[in-house]
């Protein structure tokens, strides 16, 4: 039941509108451990080399199977995705590199580069380094004030009249029955409202997530970035399951009850 609910919610959460995006709006890049044209993981050491070269340009880079920081959990539109198109012919090795957003829009594309180096490893690596000279010409600098491609979630469509970030401005005395939770080194307050819940941060001043009653002790968890199914275990901990579209796997996080 929970997994089925997650899949439905993640489908809804990915509804969005594409737009022309600025490269400088993106801080992170995801690199696959195997490109489409490769017959094995990190063949010719291209994937790890791609990571190194992207880091040299100033990006924060993660391999697609690597654990990611909290700010990327559940937000498939936060990073860019790196790909290499192999356009090699019989007498030369050639390729094109791209950075795409979560809607498959091309944010950056190099010109096709070629090398006549015969050995595959040396040839592909030389071509890759040459392709990155075009990225260097972009003079990438991350700007947090720029917006990447828009992300439209259920929270943008439906807002509750109570418990919004604008309304939750008082101190802890406003919530005498709050329950305290910890996750990722941060403290959260859980407030019950009409059989639903609100998860607050910053000592009750920020609405982090909403939990709406679903079925048989299960709740719809919606933080805008993470949309999935939530439930309380026997110890009162809040467990959240959601689908990570990049990894293609269901992820599980737990807010630990401390009070």
């Amino acid at each position: 039941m929970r997994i089925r609910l997650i899949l439905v919610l993640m489908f809804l959460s990915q509804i969005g509108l594409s737009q022309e995006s600025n490269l400088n709006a993106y801080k992170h890049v995801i690199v696959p451990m195997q490109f489409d044209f490769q017959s094995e993981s990190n063949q010719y050491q291209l994937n790890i080399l791609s990571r190194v070269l992207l880091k040299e340009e100033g990006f924060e880079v993660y391999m697609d199977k690597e654990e990611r920081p909290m700010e990327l959990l559940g937000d498939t539109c936060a990073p860019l995705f790196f790909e290499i198109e192999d356009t090699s012919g019989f007498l030369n090795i050639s390729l094109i590199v791209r950075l795409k957003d979560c809607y498959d829009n091309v944010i950056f594309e190099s010109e096709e580069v070629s090398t006549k180096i015969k050995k595959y490893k040396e040839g592909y690596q030389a071509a890759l380094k040459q392709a990155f000279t075009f990225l260097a010409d972009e003079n990438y600098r991350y700007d947090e004030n720029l917006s990447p491609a828009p992300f439209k979630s259920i929270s943008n469509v439906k807002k509750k009249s109570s418990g919004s970030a604008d309304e939750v401005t008082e101190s802890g005395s406003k919530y005498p029955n709050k329950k305290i939770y910890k996750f990722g080194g941060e403290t959260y307050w859980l407030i019950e409202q009409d059989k639903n819940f609100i998860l607050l941060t910053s000592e009750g001043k920020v609405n982090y997530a909403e939990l709406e009653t679903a079925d048989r002790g299960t709740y719809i968890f919606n933080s805008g970035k993470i949309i999935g199914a939530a439930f309380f275990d026997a110890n009162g901990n809040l467990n959240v399951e959601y689908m990570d579209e990049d990894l293609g796997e269901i992820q599980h996080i737990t807010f630990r009850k401390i009070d």
Side-chain angles (χ1 to χ4, degrees):
M1 173 62 190
R2 292 169 186 158
I3 295 176
R4 185 182 306 167
L5 177 61
I6 292 169
L7 294 176
V8 172
L9 291 171
M10 289 308 296
F11 172 78
L12 293 173
S13 71
Q14 294 305 309
I15 299 173
L17 303 174
S18 64
Q19 66 177 18
E20 184 177 353
S21 297
N22 191 319
L23 184 65
N24 295 332
Y26 295 89
K27 181 180 181 180
H28 304 90
V29 178
I30 306 298
V31 178
M33 280 302 298
Q34 185 170 338
F35 298 113
D36 290 341
F37 66 91
Q38 292 175 311
S39 59
E40 61 184 47
S41 179
N42 198 33
Q43 190 174 24
Y44 314 129
Q45 297 182 350
L46 281 185
N47 308 69
I48 299 302
L49 178 58
S50 296
R51 175 178 183 168
V52 171
L53 295 174
L54 285 163
K55 281 189 171 183
E56 289 179 354
E57 293 302 322
F59 292 99
E60 290 189 18
V61 189
Y62 296 89
M63 307 308 292
D64 59 354
K65 300 300 181 182
E66 186 177 9
E67 184 176 348
R68 303 174 194 179
M70 271 295 297
E71 60 188 299
L72 292 183
L73 288 180
D75 192 350
T76 60
C77 286
L80 289 174
F81 301 88
F82 183 76
E83 71 174 31
I84 298 177
E85 179 184 353
D86 185 7
T87 57
S88 301
F90 180 70
L91 297 176
N92 66 305
I93 292 174
S94 59
L95 52 81
I96 300 170
V97 302
R98 297 186 183 92
L99 288 168
K100 291 185 174 182
D101 67 15
C102 61
Y103 301 111
D104 211 34
N105 298 315
V106 176
I107 306 303
F108 165 80
E109 180 177 272
S110 73
E111 294 183 15
E112 184 179 38
V113 296
S114 300
T115 178
K116 293 185 178 179
I117 298 175
K118 301 299 182 182
K119 293 183 178 180
Y120 286 127
K121 180 179 178 180
E122 289 83 353
Y124 275 106
Q125 290 191 5
L128 181 62
K129 291 176 181 178
Q130 186 180 344
F132 263 83
T133 62
F134 293 99
L135 182 57
D137 291 340
E138 297 291 321
N139 296 314
Y140 164 78
R141 293 292 184 275
Y142 173 62
D143 186 345
E144 63 181 5
N145 296 315
L146 296 176
S147 297
F151 178 81
K152 183 178 181 182
S153 70
I154 293 175
S155 62
N156 294 327
V157 179
K158 179 181 179 182
K159 289 288 185 180
K160 293 187 180 295
S161 59
S162 61
S164 67
D166 292 334
E167 295 170 336
V168 184
T169 57
E170 301 298 330
S171 66
S173 60
K174 185 176 180 179
Y175 304 108
N177 298 321
K178 65 181 180 294
K179 297 179 181 179
I180 310 299
Y181 286 79
K182 285 279 190 178
F183 176 73
E186 295 187 34
T187 300
Y188 298 82
W189 292 2
L190 186 72
I191 311 299
E192 185 173 4
Q193 289 189 346
D194 301 326
K195 297 183 180 180
N196 298 319
F197 295 92
I198 298 176
L199 200 60
L200 307 173
T201 59
S202 302
E203 296 184 344
K205 296 178 181 179
V206 177
N207 182 345
Y208 175 76
E210 297 176 355
L211 288 80
E212 184 176 349
T213 301
D215 181 42
R216 297 181 182 178
T218 302
Y219 299 84
I220 298 173
F221 182 96
N222 184 0
S223 72
K225 290 185 176 182
I226 296 176
I227 301 178
F231 62 95
F232 296 96
D233 62 25
N235 296 318
N237 299 318
L238 174 62
N239 298 273
V240 180
E241 297 174 346
Y242 68 95
M243 175 64 74
D244 188 310
E245 294 295 326
D246 301 331
L247 298 177
E249 299 175 352
I250 293 175
Q251 302 296 305
H252 181 103
I253 58 178
T254 298
F255 294 86
R256 185 171 56 85
K257 187 176 184 297
I258 63 172
D259 183 20

